[in-house]
């Protein structure tokens, strides 16, 4: 993806594990994207009311909340921001539920960095 296009794309990373937020933030910043981070649902929703993002990457299991519920709330608020969900233990979901929640892909932890970057780039390129 053209570097200029990347720098105009904003990703929100949501994970209650600080280390994952740091690792993913550095990864995507170095790849040329703008990055926001949040530790949970409420912080995410506050950011999304203030900022437009092109993609949300969220853990499935957040302290006191569910990343899948977060994805549905994001759809209700933004009307279409895509979400990619990651977790060490991926839940089973049906295609319709995924579409309604804006979930475009599941990523297993630990993830392959180059595969994750490629998936994100493909999503953002398709929406360009």
């Amino acid at each position: 993806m053209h570097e200029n296009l990347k720098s105009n794309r904003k990703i929100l990373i949501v994970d209650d594990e600080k280390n994952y937020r740091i690792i993913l933030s550095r990864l995507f910043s170095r790849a040329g994207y703008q990055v926001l981070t949040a530790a949970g649902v409420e912080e995410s929703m506050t950011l999304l009311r203030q900022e437009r993002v092109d993609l949300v990457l969220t853990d499935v299991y957040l302290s006191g909340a569910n990343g899948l519920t977060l994805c549905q709330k994001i759809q209700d608020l933004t009307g279409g921001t895509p979400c990619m969900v990651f977790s060490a233990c991926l839940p089973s979901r049906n295609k319709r539920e995924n579409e309604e929640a804006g979930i475009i892909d599941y990523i297993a932890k630990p993830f392959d960095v180059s595969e994750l970057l490629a998936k994100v780039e493909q999503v953002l390129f398709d929406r360009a």
Side-chain angles (χ1 to χ4, degrees):
M1 181 182 286
H2 189 274
E3 291 307 312
N4 226 9
L5 188 55
K6 279 186 178 181
S7 67
N8 292 326
R9 297 287 183 233
K10 195 176 295 183
I11 299 170
L12 172 60
I13 297 165
V14 185
D15 198 319
D16 55 353
E17 292 183 44
K18 183 179 180 181
N19 288 339
Y20 269 105
R21 289 194 311 272
I22 291 169
I23 290 165
L24 290 170
S25 179
R26 286 181 183 160
L27 173 69
F28 288 108
S29 292
R30 288 180 183 149
Y33 298 103
Q34 296 177 48
V35 180
L36 300 170
T37 63
V41 173
E42 292 308 315
E43 187 179 357
S44 301
M45 296 310 290
T46 298
L47 282 170
L48 289 167
R49 286 183 192 97
Q50 299 168 356
E51 302 268 349
R52 185 193 67 76
V53 301
D54 300 290
L55 176 66
V56 175
L57 292 173
T58 184
D59 194 2
V60 169
Y61 302 104
L62 302 166
S63 294
N66 180 313
L68 305 175
T69 301
L70 170 62
C71 292
Q72 187 61 59
K73 287 183 175 198
I74 290 168
Q75 297 315 297
D76 294 344
L77 178 68
T78 68
T81 301
C83 297
M84 294 176 78
V85 178
F86 53 87
S87 180
C89 179
L90 296 175
S92 62
R93 302 271 291 181
N94 71 42
K95 186 176 179 178
R96 185 183 58 74
E97 287 175 321
N98 289 340
E99 288 173 0
E100 288 174 0
I103 299 169
I104 56 171
D105 206 350
Y106 284 90
I107 302 148
K109 282 182 182 177
F111 41 80
D112 177 272
V113 171
S114 22
E115 183 181 332
L116 178 61
L117 283 169
K119 284 183 177 193
V120 166
E121 186 169 311
Q122 183 64 45
V123 169
L124 295 176
F125 181 74
D126 286 348
R127 295 177 63 85

